[in-house]
Amino acid sequence: MFKKAWIKYVMLTLAVILGTLATTTTGAAAATKEPHYVITTDTTYPPFELQDKNGQYVGIDIDILKAIAKREHFTYKLVPISFNSGAQAVLSGQFDAIMAGMAITPARKLVYDFGTPYYKTGVIAAIAKNSKIKSLNDLRGKTVALKTGTGAAAYALSIQKQYGFKVTYFNDSNTMYNDVALGNTVATFEDEPVMKYAIQNGVKLKILTKPANSGYYGFGVKKGHNQELIAKFNAGFAAIKKDGTYDKIVAKYIGAKESTFAGSAAVNNSIWGLLKQNKNQFLAGIGQTLMLTILGIILATIFGVIIGILAIVPNKFSHGFASTIIYIFRGLPLLVLAFFIYIGIPSLTGHKFSALLAGLITLMLNEGAYIAAFVAGGLKSVDNGQMEAARSLGLSYWKAMRKVVMPQGIKLMVPSFVNQFIITLKDTSILSAIGIIELTQTGTVIISRNSQGFRVWFLVAMMYLIMITLLTFLAKWADKKFGNN
Amino acid sequence: MTAKVTVKDLHKAYGDNEVLKGINLEVQENEVVVMIGPSGSGKSTFLRTLNNLEAVTSGEILINGYNLVDKKTDINKVRENIGMVFQHFNLFPHLSVLENVILAPVELGKLSKEDAKTLGMQLLTQVGLADKADAKPTQLSGGQKQRVAIARALAMKPSIMLFDEPTSALDPEMVGDVLQVMRDLAEEGMTMIVVTHEMGFAKQVADRVVFFADGYIREQGTPEEVFNNPQDPRAQDFLNKVLNV
């Protein structure tokens, strides 16, 4: 009886949470009379967007947006997500607009409408401080690092033939800078203000070339959509340019000392200091990771058990259906599945849903497929005589399954479940790619601000190990308590 | 009076391999029928068709008036009335002995849990294992397991009991206890169909002995007729081998 009440409680909680997740995007908009938008930005593109030491998003883009929204009376929800995913998600309708240091290019103009260009920029090449490279001609045969989907990357590709270099791609600026500083790649191409800010804040690179391919950053919406938002942006932008707000914002970030946003060197040079300073961000990241893991494994278990049973039911249709589901979702890389659900499905249906919901569905399908496979295996390994004996007593197939076969099969599956639990916890880190700020993404964001790669990744690694240890204990305890031992 | 079990021209094939080639049999109420024959003769397969654990290829099976070959028949209802005892016991290892016995009547709503426990203890007493009620099946010997399996089948108060080589997997010294339980059942008037290699049991308890070979019933009659004066050459050969060791 206690056991059943417990399951009911879990199911109820789950239903409430899923319901909330599904309605958050629309629910917030209805609460206010001012128009409400969902706007995406990059997670790491200082000085245009970065998280400060208090975990708040700041930067030229963020402040401009804030000033314009106030003047033009609209509200918005800011969703930081990797630039490339954000740019695609605007086109699929997940977001209304993108404000992420996006260069206005002819190719982009075909699919986006841009507001008034708000920042002049040019592309420069940067190399390690101690590099012997003198000019672009020295890059021949060497590999350069580019950030996926940026204007700087497009420029680099346009001169690739002329200078004969090879390219490799990164999703995150800081990782890319480190790669060059460490000598894995010899150079990177980056927008001038971004590179200058990074160098000023301790990135061990130097600028090699004069700005080329000068252009502008623009505020983008999907072509033909959200025209009233573009109009508001333009009106607001003209106003802040006129009254000096714009210049103040730019001055605040260009030439700002590292410590303004990143915290003092003393804090950044000790692991304990980093931990203390970023306590709230780490806790939020851990919370998100645990939430994804636990909800994910519950959903995956429900899904996996249903599919696993369908796979062993003596019925050709259900068997084929279950095998196909397992084949597809076990075969797809988690990252591809996450992108497909988050960016692909809304393009098809026109309904947007939160990254969190997309992440949970991804975990449910992928981890669920693995669970289904070992559930089917576990149930099949129960001696057929058990089913026959139960059926011969008059029990229906399902009753025999529930009362006789499953209790024995589940016992065999417990180690696989514990294993899958740990895998799920680790797999949540992949969901950082669709912009969920779980623990891994928290690490990326903190590093983009303070460039303390080694120390921060060490902390993140320890946190994962501690979580995995605790969850393994919990799983073993639950097995003893609720299992059939 | 109509027969409890009526089988007409029953065929069963696995692909091209026909293992039952036209079986006809009637079993009357209170009758004990013992089926003997060499391995692979089809007697176990035949027994399993009688509660639909094996689907048949063609033919007719009527049990207590229910047509088992008809897809519309509620097979679960029919099975409630047919107890089955397996060669390998098939006790449920995750349940205690008493829980094994009362699972079906409780789950199928035949008895309250309390009444089922009372009945379960009676049945365990009947098979001489009341003291093992709380033990797990793994703690029992083979003979004890088989007696629990019989008690489990009896808990549904069946009107027919099927035994599929109930003593074949037992150590020789365990066989006697199980056969004794079966003998008691027969004396109480249970309708029984038994596949066995225990010729002594067949001689003593059977009302009728049926000899299977190559998917056919080759010979049947009283134990005296079949054992003392078999007509079919296959039966003569088989009995000669098993009786004169």
Side-chain angles (χ1 to χ4, degrees):
Chain A
M1 209 47 226
F2 168 72
K3 216 162 150 184
K4 276 184 184 151
W6 178 80
I7 290 167
K8 233 186 209 167
Y9 178 72
V10 169
M11 296 295 289
L12 198 70
T13 318
L14 206 67
V16 169
I17 291 171
L18 283 183
T20 318
L21 282 176
T23 53
T24 22
T25 38
T26 47
T32 166
K33 272 181 191 162
E34 293 184 341
H36 184 86
Y37 302 100
V38 185
I39 299 175
T40 181
T41 186
D42 201 345
T43 45
T44 65
Y45 203 56
F48 292 92
E49 36 266 343
L50 69 155
Q51 245 186 354
D52 69 9
K53 59 192 170 203
N54 304 317
Q56 294 299 309
Y57 264 92
V58 294
I60 295 174
D61 282 348
I62 314 294
D63 287 12
I64 288 177
L65 203 53
K66 201 184 282 174
I68 290 176
K70 204 172 160 193
R71 273 170 195 279
E72 296 298 318
H73 305 289
F74 65 88
T75 58
Y76 61 93
K77 185 177 156 209
L78 189 70
V79 184
I81 162 175
S82 79
F83 177 77
N84 207 22
S85 316
Q88 290 175 55
V90 169
L91 296 180
S92 73
Q94 283 277 39
F95 302 122
D96 297 310
I98 179 165
M99 181 77 175
M102 187 189 231
I104 302 173
T105 64
R108 283 189 180 138
K109 274 187 174 166
L110 295 175
V111 286
Y112 297 96
D113 283 327
F114 288 102
T116 315
Y118 67 86
Y119 198 93
K120 187 168 190 303
T121 177
V123 177
I124 51 85
I127 51 175
K129 265 194 175 142
N130 55 0
S131 172
K132 290 191 179 69
I133 283 171
K134 295 275 183 296
S135 75
L136 293 178
N137 291 319
D138 296 339
L139 296 178
R140 190 163 297 278
K142 308 227 163 64
T143 305
V144 306
L146 301 177
K147 187 167 170 183
T148 331
T150 58
Y155 170 72
L157 292 178
S158 75
I159 59 165
Q160 185 183 10
K161 258 205 179 125
Q162 187 185 344
Y163 294 103
F165 51 79
K166 292 176 274 194
V167 299
T168 183
Y169 289 98
F170 291 85
N171 270 319
D172 164 59
S173 302
N174 206 266
T175 312
M176 177 172 79
Y177 301 153
N178 277 330
D179 200 63
V180 178
L182 291 170
N184 294 334
T185 43
V186 296
T188 181
F189 287 84
E190 182 61 283
D191 288 359
E192 188 192 14
V194 175
M195 197 69 246
K196 275 189 168 163
Y197 179 87
I199 291 172
Q200 200 173 352
N201 286 300
V203 168
K204 294 183 173 52
L205 298 182
K206 63 183 178 190
I207 291 175
L208 177 71
T209 57
K210 292 225 157 60
N213 199 36
S214 293
Y216 288 92
Y217 287 159
F219 172 78
V221 298
K222 184 180 180 181
K223 198 165 189 63
H225 293 70
N226 285 306
Q227 296 300 315
E228 72 295 341
L229 178 56
I230 287 284
K232 281 176 194 292
F233 178 89
N234 289 346
F237 183 71
I240 63 168
K241 191 107 199 206
K242 201 171 170 191
D243 70 4
T245 311
Y246 173 83
D247 292 332
K248 263 189 229 160
I249 290 172
V250 172
K252 180 176 161 195
Y253 291 97
I254 298 292
K257 275 271 169 301
E258 179 181 13
S259 55
T260 319
F261 304 111
S264 70
V267 166
N268 285 336
N269 284 335
S270 88
I271 284 183
W272 184 243
L274 281 171
L275 190 60
K276 251 165 78 177
Q277 187 190 60
N278 298 296
K279 190 179 69 190
N280 291 334
Q281 278 165 272
F282 277 131
L283 282 177
I286 289 172
Q288 196 80 333
T289 290
L290 285 177
M291 196 271 274
L292 280 169
T293 305
I294 291 166
L295 284 182
I297 198 87
I298 291 172
L299 287 170
T301 302
I302 295 169
F303 179 72
V305 168
I306 291 171
I307 298 294
I309 291 172
L310 286 181
I312 62 152
V313 170
N315 173 310
K316 265 186 198 152
F317 175 76
S318 103
H319 180 81
F321 173 76
S323 310
T324 310
I325 293 280
I326 294 173
Y327 176 76
I328 290 174
F329 292 111
R330 210 164 51 152
L332 281 179
L334 194 62
L335 187 60
V336 173
L337 186 59
F339 277 133
F340 180 75
I341 289 170
Y342 186 53
I343 293 169
I345 303 271
S347 321
L348 292 175
T349 62
H351 287 283
K352 49 186 164 188
F353 46 85
S354 70
L356 214 50
L357 187 61
L360 283 174
I361 294 173
T362 305
L363 289 176
M364 177 180 93
L365 295 176
N366 181 277
E367 314 294 340
Y370 282 95
I371 291 175
F374 70 65
V375 164
L379 293 178
K380 264 187 222 158
S381 69
V382 174
D383 179 29
N384 195 35
Q386 293 290 310
M387 177 56 95
E388 286 189 347
R391 294 303 307 273
S392 78
L393 289 165
L395 267 60
S396 67
Y397 180 85
W398 291 109
K399 208 155 219 166
M401 183 57 86
R402 233 180 49 221
K403 290 287 165 184
V404 174
V405 178
M406 277 180 54
Q408 297 179 54
I410 284 169
K411 234 173 148 178
L412 299 169
M413 296 169 208
V414 166
S416 304
F417 265 115
V418 173
N419 199 30
Q420 201 62 37
F421 202 27
I422 291 171
I423 291 171
T424 304
L425 174 68
K426 293 193 290 184
D427 279 354
T428 57
S429 69
I430 296 172
L431 299 176
S432 60
I434 57 167
I436 299 175
I437 317 277
E438 40 62 71
L439 186 53
T440 300
Q441 184 68 357
T442 303
T444 307
V445 167
I446 292 172
I447 294 167
S448 77
R449 164 168 33 88
N450 65 16
S451 308
Q452 295 294 325
F454 172 73
R455 291 191 180 89
V456 173
W457 286 130
F458 175 78
L459 281 171
V460 168
M462 294 315 289
M463 287 172 193
Y464 273 112
L465 281 181
I466 291 169
M467 277 195 283
I468 280 167
T469 309
L470 291 178
L471 285 179
T472 310
F473 274 131
L474 184 73
K476 280 183 183 156
W477 173 84
D479 175 36
K480 256 190 202 152
K481 180 119 182 160
F482 301 109
N484 295 292
N485 312 0
Chain B
M1 195 185 100
T2 56
K4 291 283 285 181
V5 177
T6 308
V7 177
K8 283 185 189 156
D9 194 27
L10 186 69
H11 288 260
K12 164 77 185 171
Y14 298 101
D16 291 339
N17 179 23
E18 193 168 41
V19 291
L20 297 177
K21 299 170 182 170
I23 304 291
N24 292 286
L25 187 72
E26 278 196 0
V27 179
Q28 305 301 325
E29 186 149 18
N30 303 339
E31 195 179 9
V32 176
V33 174
V34 171
M35 304 198 286
I36 60 172
S39 297
S41 58
K43 56 195 191 304
S44 275
T45 305
F46 171 68
L47 190 75
R48 288 161 57 82
T49 63
L50 297 182
N51 70 354
N52 213 16
L53 285 179
E54 299 287 347
V56 303
T57 310
S58 67
E60 207 176 289
I61 304 173
L62 285 171
I63 293 185
N64 292 330
Y66 289 102
N67 182 356
L68 261 68
V69 180
D70 187 350
K71 290 252 186 314
K72 280 176 275 181
T73 305
D74 180 359
I75 189 62
N76 296 329
K77 270 270 160 299
V78 182
R79 281 169 173 160
E80 284 177 11
N81 250 316
I82 307 172
M84 175 99 183
V85 174
F86 298 86
Q87 180 178 356
H88 295 288
F89 334 126
N90 297 347
L91 292 183
F92 308 133
H94 61 299
L95 300 177
S96 74
V97 165
L98 184 60
E99 284 166 342
N100 261 275
V101 176
I102 68 172
L103 176 77
V106 171
E107 284 302 322
L108 296 174
K110 299 287 165 195
L111 293 173
S112 71
K113 198 155 186 181
E114 282 315 304
D115 291 348
K117 276 185 179 168
T118 311
L119 171 70
M121 287 312 294
Q122 273 173 21
L123 290 170
L124 286 176
T125 309
Q126 187 182 330
V127 300
L129 290 169
D131 57 326
K132 298 286 187 189
D134 295 324
K136 280 283 168 76
T138 47
Q139 297 166 297
L140 305 182
S141 71
Q144 291 171 328
K145 281 181 190 165
Q146 196 59 298
R147 286 185 279 154
V148 172
I150 293 170
R152 178 176 70 178
L154 292 173
M156 284 302 290
K157 305 204 163 125
S159 63
I160 304 172
M161 286 285 285
L162 310 179
F163 293 85
D164 186 7
E165 303 198 27
T167 57
S168 298
L170 298 179
D171 290 339
E173 75 268 26
M174 302 290 180
V175 172
D177 289 342
V178 173
L179 291 182
Q180 188 53 50
V181 168
M182 292 169 65
R183 208 171 282 128
D184 294 345
L185 268 181
E187 271 165 25
E188 285 165 25
M190 176 65 77
T191 309
M192 292 164 64
I193 305 177
V194 183
V195 172
T196 188
H197 294 294
E198 294 296 330
M199 297 304 148
F201 177 81
K203 275 184 190 166
Q204 272 186 14
V205 185
D207 296 312
R208 182 152 45 118
V209 173
V210 175
F211 174 77
F212 269 74
D214 308 322
Y216 298 100
I217 292 178
R218 295 284 189 163
E219 174 136 6
Q220 55 178 310
T222 63
E224 291 76 26
E225 287 166 354
V226 175
F227 285 112
N228 299 337
N229 191 17
Q231 302 300 308
D232 179 76
R234 289 290 319 258
Q236 290 166 356
D237 184 47
F238 175 78
L239 289 168
N240 194 32
K241 278 177 184 155
V242 296
L243 293 177
N244 304 316
V245 274

